Amino acid sequence: MTVLLGAIADDFTGATDLCNTLVRRGMRTVQLIDVPSPGTEVADAEAIVVALKSRTIPATEAIDKSLAALAWLQKAGARQILFKYCSTFDSTDAGNIGPVAEGLMDALGADFTLFCPAFPEAGRTIYRGYLFVGDVLLSESGMRDHPLTPMRDPSLVRVLQRQCRGNVGLVPQYDVARGPVAIRFRHAIVDAIEDHDLDAIGEAAADFPLITGGSGIALGLPENFRRQGLIGDGSAADALPPVAGPAAVLSGSCSEATRAQVAHMRERAPIFTIDPIAAAAGRNIAEEALAWATPRLGDRPVVISATAPPEQVAAIQKELGRERAGTLIEGIFAGIARGLVSRGVRRLVVAGGETAGAVVQALGVTGLRIGRQIDPGVPWTVSLPGSLGEPALALALKSGNFGAQDFFLRAFSVLSEGGNK
């Protein structure tokens, strides 16, 4: 195992997004689910991304998990570490982006790191430190109503400063365009409005022990290793073994993008809607969903959804409490995923980072090899041999905010046309 780049991601779909970027730039990449056991071997991987569920847990727990992942990656020989978070900088004033980054810096002996969640291809850009989602500020996007991490301040400098001990500064886009610049801060938000900005940032960060950002920050990293003769052209980096079997979509995200995707499916596929209030009252919603899905399983996907508009989410959280509602829905999806696989489902699209985390953990999947992109930020993956989730499963783990309106159907079309080779 020759691991060049080791990454720590704060949720599962974000990890897959990062893997997708690396594979597209020609690095053979594997995603591991949670901190691997000591002695775990991963064959034929130039980059390894450890996927954690650390975005919304207490900051001290997030730091501990991230440091454990760092220790494993260092033992695996990783030459550079990347801390990956969401392109919408999902966090609260307490963290966890700043605290985790500072914990990793301390462990690596680093006195500086950059923060850049931009990914212009996916509509995330930073200008003068302000994060834009498409054509609007972060605070005017659907993220303003996120049920766990509502983002209502578009200034990443302000957001990060509230989380960090060290000073936070800005590297503006006009400096990025001119090349490497002198940094006078412990932490710096870096502007990026086009993908070539990310290439330049990646090249400038070639010798940094720690880089932090969204998946776009990885655009320029593989070329650093290629210039050193450490990786080849990467022409087969996205090759996957074939997987056949019934298909299903599990949608737990309530983002604008996912709501549009579920709406698009309503006249194109059967849909079962999860009722968390009924579940809290004692109904076994997972069993009801499985009883509904079983006679409908086949090549065309069935959809099981907890996706809802903001006002409905707010009403559920008011009645059940935010944490209880989230835990309840994740538990339902975990039971449904196990039941679907036991009934022969082998191809799954999962929408939402927390939902994806619950599903892969419930299925006992310990690692994923990364394949062909479906939409920007979302590839197909196949579970690694030796995962408890045998037989092999094809999984597309989609961040709630990603994907075109027809994403769910497009995903299975890509898979059948050669998304696994």
Side-chain angles (χ1 to χ4, degrees), residues 243-275:
V243 176
V249 174
L250 303 180
S251 180
S253 169
C254 295
S255 71
E256 279 186 295
T258 302
R259 294 201 307 272
Q261 289 154 3
V262 171
H264 184 78
M265 293 294 283
R266 290 207 175 274
E267 295 182 1
R268 295 169 174 85
I271 296 182
F272 180 96
T273 300
I274 289 171
D275 183 348

PDB file of all heavy atoms in Angstrom, residues 243-275:
ATOM      1  N   VAL A 243     -21.914  -4.798 -10.714  1.00  0.00           N
ATOM      2  CA  VAL A 243     -22.882  -5.164  -9.678  1.00  0.00           C
ATOM      3  C   VAL A 243     -24.275  -5.108 -10.298  1.00  0.00           C
ATOM      4  O   VAL A 243     -24.651  -4.104 -10.905  1.00  0.00           O
ATOM      5  CB  VAL A 243     -22.822  -4.204  -8.466  1.00  0.00           C
ATOM      6  CG1 VAL A 243     -23.907  -4.544  -7.453  1.00  0.00           C
ATOM      7  CG2 VAL A 243     -21.447  -4.241  -7.810  1.00  0.00           C
ATOM      8  N   ALA A 244     -25.033  -6.187 -10.154  1.00  0.00           N
ATOM      9  CA  ALA A 244     -26.397  -6.241 -10.678  1.00  0.00           C
ATOM     10  C   ALA A 244     -27.352  -6.574  -9.545  1.00  0.00           C
ATOM     11  O   ALA A 244     -26.960  -7.145  -8.525  1.00  0.00           O
ATOM     12  CB  ALA A 244     -26.509  -7.287 -11.789  1.00  0.00           C
ATOM     13  N   GLY A 245     -28.632  -6.214  -9.722  1.00  0.00           N
ATOM     14  CA  GLY A 245     -29.640  -6.535  -8.724  1.00  0.00           C
ATOM     15  C   GLY A 245     -30.660  -5.424  -8.606  1.00  0.00           C
ATOM     16  O   GLY A 245     -30.519  -4.359  -9.217  1.00  0.00           O
ATOM     17  N   PRO A 246     -31.722  -5.642  -7.836  1.00  0.00           N
ATOM     18  CA  PRO A 246     -32.752  -4.620  -7.654  1.00  0.00           C
ATOM     19  C   PRO A 246     -32.180  -3.305  -7.134  1.00  0.00           C
ATOM     20  O   PRO A 246     -31.114  -3.268  -6.496  1.00  0.00           O
ATOM     21  CB  PRO A 246     -33.701  -5.260  -6.639  1.00  0.00           C
ATOM     22  CG  PRO A 246     -33.523  -6.726  -6.838  1.00  0.00           C
ATOM     23  CD  PRO A 246     -32.072  -6.909  -7.159  1.00  0.00           C
ATOM     24  N   ALA A 247     -32.941  -2.213  -7.404  1.00  0.00           N
ATOM     25  CA  ALA A 247     -32.466  -0.864  -7.117  1.00  0.00           C
ATOM     26  C   ALA A 247     -33.419  -0.138  -6.177  1.00  0.00           C
ATOM     27  O   ALA A 247     -34.632  -0.352  -6.207  1.00  0.00           O
ATOM     28  CB  ALA A 247     -32.330  -0.076  -8.415  1.00  0.00           C
ATOM     29  N   ALA A 248     -32.853   0.759  -5.358  1.00  0.00           N
ATOM     30  CA  ALA A 248     -33.673   1.566  -4.453  1.00  0.00           C
ATOM     31  C   ALA A 248     -32.996   2.895  -4.190  1.00  0.00           C
ATOM     32  O   ALA A 248     -31.768   3.027  -4.286  1.00  0.00           O
ATOM     33  CB  ALA A 248     -33.913   0.828  -3.139  1.00  0.00           C
ATOM     34  N   VAL A 249     -33.813   3.885  -3.847  1.00  0.00           N
ATOM     35  CA  VAL A 249     -33.347   5.203  -3.419  1.00  0.00           C
ATOM     36  C   VAL A 249     -33.829   5.436  -2.000  1.00  0.00           C
ATOM     37  O   VAL A 249     -35.014   5.257  -1.698  1.00  0.00           O
ATOM     38  CB  VAL A 249     -33.903   6.313  -4.342  1.00  0.00           C
ATOM     39  CG1 VAL A 249     -33.533   7.693  -3.794  1.00  0.00           C
ATOM     40  CG2 VAL A 249     -33.395   6.146  -5.765  1.00  0.00           C
ATOM     41  N   LEU A 250     -32.914   5.852  -1.125  1.00  0.00           N
ATOM     42  CA  LEU A 250     -33.249   6.227   0.246  1.00  0.00           C
ATOM     43  C   LEU A 250     -32.916   7.700   0.404  1.00  0.00           C
ATOM     44  O   LEU A 250     -31.749   8.098   0.304  1.00  0.00           O
ATOM     45  CB  LEU A 250     -32.461   5.386   1.256  1.00  0.00           C
ATOM     46  CG  LEU A 250     -32.635   3.867   1.153  1.00  0.00           C
ATOM     47  CD1 LEU A 250     -31.789   3.165   2.215  1.00  0.00           C
ATOM     48  CD2 LEU A 250     -34.099   3.481   1.286  1.00  0.00           C
ATOM     49  N   SER A 251     -33.927   8.525   0.630  1.00  0.00           N
ATOM     50  CA  SER A 251     -33.732   9.972   0.652  1.00  0.00           C
ATOM     51  C   SER A 251     -34.071  10.536   2.022  1.00  0.00           C
ATOM     52  O   SER A 251     -35.232  10.611   2.408  1.00  0.00           O
ATOM     53  CB  SER A 251     -34.601  10.635  -0.424  1.00  0.00           C
ATOM     54  OG  SER A 251     -34.411  12.032  -0.406  1.00  0.00           O
ATOM     55  N   GLY A 252     -33.016  10.956   2.742  1.00  0.00           N
ATOM     56  CA  GLY A 252     -33.224  11.548   4.060  1.00  0.00           C
ATOM     57  C   GLY A 252     -32.968  13.038   4.096  1.00  0.00           C
ATOM     58  O   GLY A 252     -33.341  13.707   5.051  1.00  0.00           O
ATOM     59  N   SER A 253     -32.328  13.576   3.072  1.00  0.00           N
ATOM     60  CA  SER A 253     -32.019  15.003   3.043  1.00  0.00           C
ATOM     61  C   SER A 253     -33.283  15.822   2.816  1.00  0.00           C
ATOM     62  O   SER A 253     -34.190  15.414   2.089  1.00  0.00           O
ATOM     63  CB  SER A 253     -31.016  15.299   1.923  1.00  0.00           C
ATOM     64  OG  SER A 253     -30.895  16.693   1.723  1.00  0.00           O
ATOM     65  N   CYS A 254     -33.302  17.018   3.420  1.00  0.00           N
ATOM     66  CA  CYS A 254     -34.410  17.956   3.195  1.00  0.00           C
ATOM     67  C   CYS A 254     -33.938  19.215   2.480  1.00  0.00           C
ATOM     68  O   CYS A 254     -34.584  20.266   2.540  1.00  0.00           O
ATOM     69  CB  CYS A 254     -35.072  18.307   4.523  1.00  0.00           C
ATOM     70  SG  CYS A 254     -35.883  16.903   5.317  1.00  0.00           S
ATOM     71  N   SER A 255     -32.786  19.134   1.797  1.00  0.00           N
ATOM     72  CA  SER A 255     -32.257  20.279   1.075  1.00  0.00           C
ATOM     73  C   SER A 255     -33.126  20.604  -0.133  1.00  0.00           C
ATOM     74  O   SER A 255     -33.922  19.780  -0.601  1.00  0.00           O
ATOM     75  CB  SER A 255     -30.830  19.994   0.607  1.00  0.00           C
ATOM     76  OG  SER A 255     -30.859  19.030  -0.434  1.00  0.00           O
ATOM     77  N   GLU A 256     -32.944  21.817  -0.662  1.00  0.00           N
ATOM     78  CA  GLU A 256     -33.705  22.229  -1.843  1.00  0.00           C
ATOM     79  C   GLU A 256     -33.469  21.279  -3.009  1.00  0.00           C
ATOM     80  O   GLU A 256     -34.408  20.881  -3.710  1.00  0.00           O
ATOM     81  CB  GLU A 256     -33.301  23.646  -2.264  1.00  0.00           C
ATOM     82  CG  GLU A 256     -33.955  24.746  -1.462  1.00  0.00           C
ATOM     83  CD  GLU A 256     -33.629  26.117  -2.013  1.00  0.00           C
ATOM     84  OE1 GLU A 256     -32.441  26.497  -1.971  1.00  0.00           O
ATOM     85  OE2 GLU A 256     -34.551  26.802  -2.486  1.00  0.00           O
ATOM     86  N   ALA A 257     -32.196  20.916  -3.245  1.00  0.00           N
ATOM     87  CA  ALA A 257     -31.879  20.047  -4.382  1.00  0.00           C
ATOM     88  C   ALA A 257     -32.565  18.700  -4.245  1.00  0.00           C
ATOM     89  O   ALA A 257     -33.163  18.182  -5.198  1.00  0.00           O
ATOM     90  CB  ALA A 257     -30.364  19.875  -4.501  1.00  0.00           C
ATOM     91  N   THR A 258     -32.498  18.103  -3.064  1.00  0.00           N
ATOM     92  CA  THR A 258     -33.106  16.784  -2.883  1.00  0.00           C
ATOM     93  C   THR A 258     -34.622  16.860  -2.938  1.00  0.00           C
ATOM     94  O   THR A 258     -35.280  15.950  -3.470  1.00  0.00           O
ATOM     95  CB  THR A 258     -32.644  16.158  -1.559  1.00  0.00           C
ATOM     96  OG1 THR A 258     -31.216  16.066  -1.549  1.00  0.00           O
ATOM     97  CG2 THR A 258     -33.215  14.759  -1.395  1.00  0.00           C
ATOM     98  N   ARG A 259     -35.216  17.930  -2.426  1.00  0.00           N
ATOM     99  CA  ARG A 259     -36.669  18.063  -2.530  1.00  0.00           C
ATOM    100  C   ARG A 259     -37.101  18.085  -3.996  1.00  0.00           C
ATOM    101  O   ARG A 259     -38.095  17.453  -4.372  1.00  0.00           O
ATOM    102  CB  ARG A 259     -37.153  19.338  -1.820  1.00  0.00           C
ATOM    103  CG  ARG A 259     -36.951  19.306  -0.313  1.00  0.00           C
ATOM    104  CD  ARG A 259     -37.854  20.292   0.412  1.00  0.00           C
ATOM    105  NE  ARG A 259     -37.774  21.649  -0.084  1.00  0.00           N
ATOM    106  CZ  ARG A 259     -36.901  22.571   0.340  1.00  0.00           C
ATOM    107  NH1 ARG A 259     -36.003  22.239   1.274  1.00  0.00           N
ATOM    108  NH2 ARG A 259     -36.924  23.789  -0.138  1.00  0.00           N
ATOM    109  N   ALA A 260     -36.344  18.773  -4.833  1.00  0.00           N
ATOM    110  CA  ALA A 260     -36.663  18.807  -6.263  1.00  0.00           C
ATOM    111  C   ALA A 260     -36.481  17.431  -6.893  1.00  0.00           C
ATOM    112  O   ALA A 260     -37.258  17.028  -7.775  1.00  0.00           O
ATOM    113  CB  ALA A 260     -35.780  19.836  -6.971  1.00  0.00           C
ATOM    114  N   GLN A 261     -35.475  16.681  -6.450  1.00  0.00           N
ATOM    115  CA  GLN A 261     -35.224  15.348  -7.003  1.00  0.00           C
ATOM    116  C   GLN A 261     -36.333  14.370  -6.614  1.00  0.00           C
ATOM    117  O   GLN A 261     -36.761  13.560  -7.436  1.00  0.00           O
ATOM    118  CB  GLN A 261     -33.851  14.858  -6.525  1.00  0.00           C
ATOM    119  CG  GLN A 261     -32.703  15.614  -7.170  1.00  0.00           C
ATOM    120  CD  GLN A 261     -31.432  15.629  -6.334  1.00  0.00           C
ATOM    121  OE1 GLN A 261     -31.365  15.027  -5.260  1.00  0.00           O
ATOM    122  NE2 GLN A 261     -30.419  16.330  -6.812  1.00  0.00           N
ATOM    123  N   VAL A 262     -36.793  14.445  -5.384  1.00  0.00           N
ATOM    124  CA  VAL A 262     -37.898  13.582  -4.963  1.00  0.00           C
ATOM    125  C   VAL A 262     -39.170  13.955  -5.717  1.00  0.00           C
ATOM    126  O   VAL A 262     -39.926  13.079  -6.180  1.00  0.00           O
ATOM    127  CB  VAL A 262     -38.104  13.668  -3.434  1.00  0.00           C
ATOM    128  CG1 VAL A 262     -39.382  12.938  -3.019  1.00  0.00           C
ATOM    129  CG2 VAL A 262     -36.898  13.074  -2.697  1.00  0.00           C
ATOM    130  N   ALA A 263     -39.418  15.246  -5.859  1.00  0.00           N
ATOM    131  CA  ALA A 263     -40.605  15.683  -6.608  1.00  0.00           C
ATOM    132  C   ALA A 263     -40.555  15.177  -8.053  1.00  0.00           C
ATOM    133  O   ALA A 263     -41.589  14.774  -8.613  1.00  0.00           O
ATOM    134  CB  ALA A 263     -40.703  17.208  -6.583  1.00  0.00           C
ATOM    135  N   HIS A 264     -39.384  15.196  -8.652  1.00  0.00           N
ATOM    136  CA  HIS A 264     -39.217  14.718 -10.029  1.00  0.00           C
ATOM    137  C   HIS A 264     -39.575  13.240 -10.154  1.00  0.00           C
ATOM    138  O   HIS A 264     -40.051  12.795 -11.201  1.00  0.00           O
ATOM    139  CB  HIS A 264     -37.768  14.950 -10.463  1.00  0.00           C
ATOM    140  CG  HIS A 264     -37.487  14.588 -11.886  1.00  0.00           C
ATOM    141  ND1 HIS A 264     -37.840  15.381 -12.955  1.00  0.00           N
ATOM    142  CD2 HIS A 264     -36.887  13.498 -12.428  1.00  0.00           C
ATOM    143  CE1 HIS A 264     -37.470  14.819 -14.082  1.00  0.00           C
ATOM    144  NE2 HIS A 264     -36.886  13.670 -13.796  1.00  0.00           N
ATOM    145  N   MET A 265     -39.365  12.491  -9.076  1.00  0.00           N
ATOM    146  CA  MET A 265     -39.611  11.041  -9.121  1.00  0.00           C
ATOM    147  C   MET A 265     -41.076  10.676  -8.889  1.00  0.00           C
ATOM    148  O   MET A 265     -41.474   9.530  -9.131  1.00  0.00           O
ATOM    149  CB  MET A 265     -38.754  10.337  -8.067  1.00  0.00           C
ATOM    150  CG  MET A 265     -37.267  10.383  -8.338  1.00  0.00           C
ATOM    151  SD  MET A 265     -36.793   9.450  -9.815  1.00  0.00           S
ATOM    152  CE  MET A 265     -36.858   7.768  -9.163  1.00  0.00           C
ATOM    153  N   ARG A 266     -41.890  11.603  -8.427  1.00  0.00           N
ATOM    154  CA  ARG A 266     -43.235  11.239  -7.974  1.00  0.00           C
ATOM    155  C   ARG A 266     -44.079  10.607  -9.079  1.00  0.00           C
ATOM    156  O   ARG A 266     -44.905   9.736  -8.798  1.00  0.00           O
ATOM    157  CB  ARG A 266     -43.943  12.447  -7.379  1.00  0.00           C
ATOM    158  CG  ARG A 266     -43.328  12.870  -6.051  1.00  0.00           C
ATOM    159  CD  ARG A 266     -44.289  13.572  -5.136  1.00  0.00           C
ATOM    160  NE  ARG A 266     -43.644  13.843  -3.847  1.00  0.00           N
ATOM    161  CZ  ARG A 266     -43.589  12.995  -2.842  1.00  0.00           C
ATOM    162  NH1 ARG A 266     -44.163  11.805  -2.963  1.00  0.00           N
ATOM    163  NH2 ARG A 266     -42.978  13.311  -1.722  1.00  0.00           N
ATOM    164  N   GLU A 267     -43.905  11.027 -10.311  1.00  0.00           N
ATOM    165  CA  GLU A 267     -44.664  10.421 -11.401  1.00  0.00           C
ATOM    166  C   GLU A 267     -43.834   9.433 -12.202  1.00  0.00           C
ATOM    167  O   GLU A 267     -44.277   8.970 -13.262  1.00  0.00           O
ATOM    168  CB  GLU A 267     -45.198  11.530 -12.324  1.00  0.00           C
ATOM    169  CG  GLU A 267     -46.200  12.447 -11.648  1.00  0.00           C
ATOM    170  CD  GLU A 267     -46.755  13.492 -12.591  1.00  0.00           C
ATOM    171  OE1 GLU A 267     -46.366  13.495 -13.782  1.00  0.00           O
ATOM    172  OE2 GLU A 267     -47.576  14.310 -12.141  1.00  0.00           O
ATOM    173  N   ARG A 268     -42.655   9.105 -11.694  1.00  0.00           N
ATOM    174  CA  ARG A 268     -41.747   8.237 -12.433  1.00  0.00           C
ATOM    175  C   ARG A 268     -41.368   6.976 -11.678  1.00  0.00           C
ATOM    176  O   ARG A 268     -40.743   6.073 -12.240  1.00  0.00           O
ATOM    177  CB  ARG A 268     -40.480   9.012 -12.804  1.00  0.00           C
ATOM    178  CG  ARG A 268     -40.750  10.161 -13.762  1.00  0.00           C
ATOM    179  CD  ARG A 268     -39.545  11.084 -13.900  1.00  0.00           C
ATOM    180  NE  ARG A 268     -39.773  12.098 -14.920  1.00  0.00           N
ATOM    181  CZ  ARG A 268     -40.404  13.252 -14.697  1.00  0.00           C
ATOM    182  NH1 ARG A 268     -40.869  13.523 -13.470  1.00  0.00           N
ATOM    183  NH2 ARG A 268     -40.577  14.120 -15.673  1.00  0.00           N
ATOM    184  N   ALA A 269     -41.683   6.909 -10.407  1.00  0.00           N
ATOM    185  CA  ALA A 269     -41.323   5.743  -9.595  1.00  0.00           C
ATOM    186  C   ALA A 269     -42.241   5.701  -8.376  1.00  0.00           C
ATOM    187  O   ALA A 269     -42.743   6.739  -7.925  1.00  0.00           O
ATOM    188  CB  ALA A 269     -39.863   5.820  -9.152  1.00  0.00           C
ATOM    189  N   PRO A 270     -42.463   4.511  -7.820  1.00  0.00           N
ATOM    190  CA  PRO A 270     -43.250   4.426  -6.579  1.00  0.00           C
ATOM    191  C   PRO A 270     -42.476   5.033  -5.411  1.00  0.00           C
ATOM    192  O   PRO A 270     -41.264   4.844  -5.295  1.00  0.00           O
ATOM    193  CB  PRO A 270     -43.451   2.918  -6.400  1.00  0.00           C
ATOM    194  CG  PRO A 270     -42.355   2.279  -7.180  1.00  0.00           C
ATOM    195  CD  PRO A 270     -42.043   3.189  -8.327  1.00  0.00           C
ATOM    196  N   ILE A 271     -43.173   5.764  -4.549  1.00  0.00           N
ATOM    197  CA  ILE A 271     -42.534   6.451  -3.425  1.00  0.00           C
ATOM    198  C   ILE A 271     -43.281   6.133  -2.132  1.00  0.00           C
ATOM    199  O   ILE A 271     -44.516   6.224  -2.072  1.00  0.00           O
ATOM    200  CB  ILE A 271     -42.505   7.975  -3.640  1.00  0.00           C
ATOM    201  CG1 ILE A 271     -41.638   8.324  -4.851  1.00  0.00           C
ATOM    202  CG2 ILE A 271     -41.971   8.685  -2.394  1.00  0.00           C
ATOM    203  CD1 ILE A 271     -41.523   9.826  -5.111  1.00  0.00           C
ATOM    204  N   PHE A 272     -42.519   5.769  -1.105  1.00  0.00           N
ATOM    205  CA  PHE A 272     -43.051   5.586   0.246  1.00  0.00           C
ATOM    206  C   PHE A 272     -42.508   6.738   1.094  1.00  0.00           C
ATOM    207  O   PHE A 272     -41.298   6.983   1.121  1.00  0.00           O
ATOM    208  CB  PHE A 272     -42.593   4.246   0.833  1.00  0.00           C
ATOM    209  CG  PHE A 272     -43.102   3.984   2.219  1.00  0.00           C
ATOM    210  CD1 PHE A 272     -44.245   3.225   2.429  1.00  0.00           C
ATOM    211  CD2 PHE A 272     -42.431   4.485   3.338  1.00  0.00           C
ATOM    212  CE1 PHE A 272     -44.720   2.985   3.717  1.00  0.00           C
ATOM    213  CE2 PHE A 272     -42.890   4.248   4.624  1.00  0.00           C
ATOM    214  CZ  PHE A 272     -44.043   3.491   4.811  1.00  0.00           C
ATOM    215  N   THR A 273     -43.395   7.428   1.799  1.00  0.00           N
ATOM    216  CA  THR A 273     -42.988   8.573   2.606  1.00  0.00           C
ATOM    217  C   THR A 273     -42.967   8.202   4.087  1.00  0.00           C
ATOM    218  O   THR A 273     -43.967   7.718   4.634  1.00  0.00           O
ATOM    219  CB  THR A 273     -43.943   9.762   2.391  1.00  0.00           C
ATOM    220  OG1 THR A 273     -43.913  10.124   1.004  1.00  0.00           O
ATOM    221  CG2 THR A 273     -43.506  10.957   3.231  1.00  0.00           C
ATOM    222  N   ILE A 274     -41.842   8.420   4.718  1.00  0.00           N
ATOM    223  CA  ILE A 274     -41.664   8.116   6.134  1.00  0.00           C
ATOM    224  C   ILE A 274     -42.355   9.182   6.988  1.00  0.00           C
ATOM    225  O   ILE A 274     -42.221  10.380   6.728  1.00  0.00           O
ATOM    226  CB  ILE A 274     -40.167   8.042   6.475  1.00  0.00           C
ATOM    227  CG1 ILE A 274     -39.557   6.775   5.857  1.00  0.00           C
ATOM    228  CG2 ILE A 274     -39.918   8.086   7.976  1.00  0.00           C
ATOM    229  CD1 ILE A 274     -38.051   6.714   5.954  1.00  0.00           C
ATOM    230  N   ASP A 275     -43.088   8.735   7.994  1.00  0.00           N
ATOM    231  CA  ASP A 275     -43.785   9.629   8.922  1.00  0.00           C
ATOM    232  C   ASP A 275     -43.120   9.531  10.297  1.00  0.00           C
ATOM    233  O   ASP A 275     -43.397   8.603  11.064  1.00  0.00           O
ATOM    234  CB  ASP A 275     -45.259   9.235   9.015  1.00  0.00           C
ATOM    235  CG  ASP A 275     -46.070  10.165   9.913  1.00  0.00           C
ATOM    236  OD1 ASP A 275     -45.468  10.974  10.644  1.00  0.00           O
ATOM    237  OD2 ASP A 275     -47.315  10.081   9.884  1.00  0.00           O
TER     238      ASP A 275
END
